[in-house]
Amino acid sequence: MHIVMVEPEIPGNTGNISRLCAANHITLHLVKPLGFSLEDKYLKRAGLDYWELLDLEVHENFAQLQEKYKANRYFYLTTKSDKCYADIRFRPDDMLVFGKETKGLPESLLKANRENCFRIPMIDEARSLNLSNAVAVVSYEALRQLDFPDLAKGGTGIEHLC
């Protein structure tokens, strides 16, 4: 599975998403321009010691990403859609595309991909969820549908607690 962040702005969000992707064997794609340096201390802190587990690709623009992954299906997460993300029947190589924190995805991208735009349901008065929370919600639904591929489903056991 792939998480795509188009022009992310907040290093802490990207760090949290990086940790989520690393822990779940999800490839993270960052599409420039980035609102921070990949050496940012807040980015590194939020990702903790998971950086060596992360499959990260950085792309100069969205067209470059699409050219490299032209066979994949793309789903665009936006508050502007009336379709629910839980209605997607996910496949292992799907691209889940999220926009920047302040503006979301570009309108031109949404208009060109209207049929593949989905939202996370919430009350009308709420503008949006935090980006890292939104990525977690959608990615875990996709992983659930795929029966959590290659992920450990059990811990060390409660019976071993002191």
Side-chain angles (χ1 to χ4, degrees), residues 68-132:
K68 184 172 181 181
Y69 293 93
K70 54 181 129 191
N72 297 56
R73 297 188 315 164
Y74 289 76
F75 295 103
Y76 303 86
L77 284 298
T78 175
T79 58
K80 296 168 178 70
S81 179
D82 59 353
K83 295 187 292 189
C84 179
Y85 75 96
D87 293 332
I88 301 170
R89 295 296 143 232
F90 293 100
R91 296 181 195 159
D93 287 328
D94 286 343
M95 311 292 277
L96 309 180
V97 184
F98 296 83
K100 63 173 122 182
E101 290 89 344
T102 57
K103 295 182 181 180
L105 290 165
E107 287 185 12
S108 59
L109 193 59
L110 297 177
K111 288 177 185 176
N113 297 283
R114 189 177 311 266
E115 291 304 311
N116 288 327
C117 292
F118 294 85
R119 70 176 283 122
I120 298 171
M122 65 186 86
I123 62 171
D124 289 337
E125 295 80 13
R127 188 174 64 251
S128 65
L129 296 177
N130 171 277
L131 180 58
S132 61

Side-chain angles (χ1 to χ4, degrees), residues 15-26:
N16 288 336
I17 293 165
S18 298
R19 183 176 178 184
L20 179 140
C21 289
N24 290 299
H25 201 256
I26 297 171

